[in-house]
Amino acid sequence: MDLDAMIRDAVRGRSIPREGALELLAADDARTLPIVAAAGRVRRHFFGTGVRLNHLVSLRSGMCPEDCSYCSQALGSSAEIPRYTWLDDEQVHESVEEGIARGASTICLVASGRGPSPRETARVAGLVARIHREHPEVHLCACLGLLDEDRAAILREAGVDRYNHNLNTARSHYGEICTSHGYDDRAATVRAVRRAGISPCSGLIAGMGESDEELVDVTFALRELGVGSVPVNFLLPFEGTSLAGHRELTPQRCLRILSMVRLVHPDVEVRSAAGREYHIRTLQPLVLEVANSIFLGDYLTSEGGPGRDDLAMIADLGFHVEGAGAEAGTICLGDGQAGPGARRPSRLDAAGVPLRRRGPGIPRAATS
């Protein structure tokens, strides 16, 4: 494994060779720190010490008709997650304001479901237009499921500059995790939003029983699609989903996966997304040597770590919060996860996944 050669390729904006990517994943744990250091040189070359903070707003939770086996919101899942129809405009507004006050430069509006109807597309476009008027400096990302170019164009006109739709896994593995739609449907959505003038945000989920070859396949497929942001998720094995028994990831394995993604995508945003806290645990500071983007706070159906801990981690490493709200993000106390005596996860399921019990859409009684 020639890490120096990989660095030379990557700092020129070129992906490392496929065989090199496979070597990174197959490496012993003892090689993890040198691999992270190599990926870190590339991350710093293109992005310096900036960290982009992302804030999720779950517009509609649960009740999805798709059968994605990894998802706590999917058809057939009995996971004890929030289930609610669309948030009202003021709930969205309050959550957005909280996220920006905590340092977020990207707001991600997410709704469960196969894809938005014309009416739902118009509804999200209205929310986006308001946020764009009030915070024109903030990046706006939508994640609404399968999308065609016409609906993508409506969102683009409203102010969406990024659309998230993950490939999740390789074509060869896709039938093992979902049967209600296919890999090609997801790839078509990525292409449609790009044609509409929106930057595609698309990534993967590791830890679903895929092989090293399949992890490399999906990572290179994302490069070929020209995505502008790559979220790397690590499976949260929610009790009540068919992948609840998958516990194959270690902190070192996760760091090597992140490093592989960085060296295949040297010059685009790589985000450590869901599963960071659950799987990487005490090694989380090393994530920022590789990824230049994280979520601050809670995810869709699971709770993240206290916001103050992440902000302190960024500062202690000599990194800085990038973009809108960055000044506030260095000092904010947050919304109950970031202040003195910050609440730890309110409830863990049988797999140890912290279930979301706060934020918009949660009855106040459930947060006490």
Side-chain angles (χ1 to χ4, degrees):
M1 180 169 52
D2 189 342
L3 290 176
D4 288 337
M6 293 184 191
I7 293 168
R8 286 195 297 271
D9 279 341
V11 297
R12 293 183 176 96
R14 299 199 299 256
S15 298
I16 61 171
R18 178 185 171 83
E19 57 270 23
L22 287 168
E23 285 181 320
L24 295 175
L25 296 183
D28 293 335
D29 284 351
R31 299 299 305 275
T32 299
L33 288 180
I35 290 169
V36 168
R41 286 180 60 182
V42 177
R43 179 253 202 268
R44 288 171 184 265
H45 176 81
F46 287 103
F47 301 100
T49 58
V51 180
R52 174 173 285 184
L53 301 181
N54 302 264
H55 174 70
L56 278 174
V57 183
S58 182
L59 301 175
R60 178 176 62 191
S61 182
M63 304 173 286
C64 182
E66 303 300 290
D67 67 357
C68 307
S69 56
Y70 54 85
C71 184
S72 60
Q73 303 187 68
L75 180 70
S77 167
S78 60
E80 297 182 46
I81 61 162
R83 289 180 169 83
Y84 53 82
T85 56
W86 292 85
L87 299 178
D88 65 42
D89 290 3
E90 285 311 303
Q91 287 176 304
V92 175
H93 177 72
E94 289 175 9
S95 182
V96 167
E97 293 299 319
E98 288 172 359
I100 293 172
R102 290 161 55 201
S105 59
T106 300
I107 299 296
C108 307
L109 302 176
V110 187
S112 62
R114 180 179 176 86
S117 67
R119 182 177 181 180
E120 290 166 343
T121 303
R123 180 175 195 160
V124 175
L127 294 170
V128 167
R130 176 180 179 180
I131 300 168
H132 188 61
R133 286 194 306 271
E134 295 175 353
H135 300 283
E137 74 286 1
V138 169
H139 296 282
L140 295 172
C141 178
C143 179
L144 311 173
L146 299 173
L147 201 69
D148 59 28
E149 190 172 347
D150 290 341
R151 292 177 193 179
I154 292 170
L155 296 174
R156 178 71 187 98
E157 182 66 24
V160 167
D161 48 26
R162 176 177 290 177
Y163 192 87
N164 171 254
H165 196 65
N166 296 326
L167 291 187
N168 289 327
T169 195
R171 182 192 299 275
S172 60
H173 188 60
Y174 204 86
E176 300 297 316
I177 65 166
C178 183
T179 64
S180 54
H181 63 267
Y183 176 96
D184 288 333
D185 296 315
R186 288 186 168 266
T189 291
V190 174
R191 294 188 184 99
V193 299
R194 189 175 185 186
R195 287 195 301 269
I198 296 174
S199 176
C201 169
S202 187
L204 57 93
I205 305 173
M208 300 190 292
E210 69 284 338
S211 66
D212 284 0
E213 289 77 8
E214 286 165 333
L215 274 175
V216 170
D217 283 347
V218 67
T219 304
F220 275 90
L222 292 164
R223 186 70 169 174
E224 291 165 9
L225 285 169
V227 300
S229 177
V230 184
V232 179
N233 300 277
F234 301 109
L235 178 71
L236 286 170
F238 283 91
E239 194 70 21
T241 65
S242 58
L243 292 183
H246 283 254
R247 314 280 179 83
E248 60 204 61
L249 296 171
T250 66
Q252 294 92 341
R253 168 79 171 168
C254 292
L255 289 169
R256 291 196 299 275
I257 292 169
L258 274 171
S259 297
M260 182 273 290
V261 173
R262 165 57 69 205
L263 291 168
V264 174
H265 296 266
D267 52 357
V268 303
E269 178 181 328
V270 173
R271 182 181 317 123
S272 183
R276 167 170 62 93
E277 299 88 345
Y278 184 86
H279 288 289
I280 304 180
R281 303 190 288 277
T282 59
L283 297 186
Q284 286 182 70
L286 294 175
V287 165
L288 295 181
E289 282 295 321
V290 179
N292 62 302
S293 177
I294 60 172
F295 283 105
L296 185 71
D298 295 334
Y299 300 92
L300 296 176
T301 59
S302 67
E303 289 185 359
R308 171 165 282 176
D309 288 359
D310 282 340
L311 293 171
M313 177 175 69
I314 292 167
D316 288 349
L317 286 165
F319 285 67
H320 68 276
V321 175
E322 190 178 87
E327 184 176 348
T330 63
I331 59 172
C332 75
L333 296 180
D335 59 356
Q337 359 172 21
R343 288 178 296 163
R344 296 295 171 176
S346 55
R347 183 175 179 185
L348 304 179
D349 73 5
V353 177
L355 301 170
R356 184 164 75 86
R357 291 291 183 267
R358 59 193 179 205
I362 307 296
R364 289 190 179 277
T367 68
S368 59

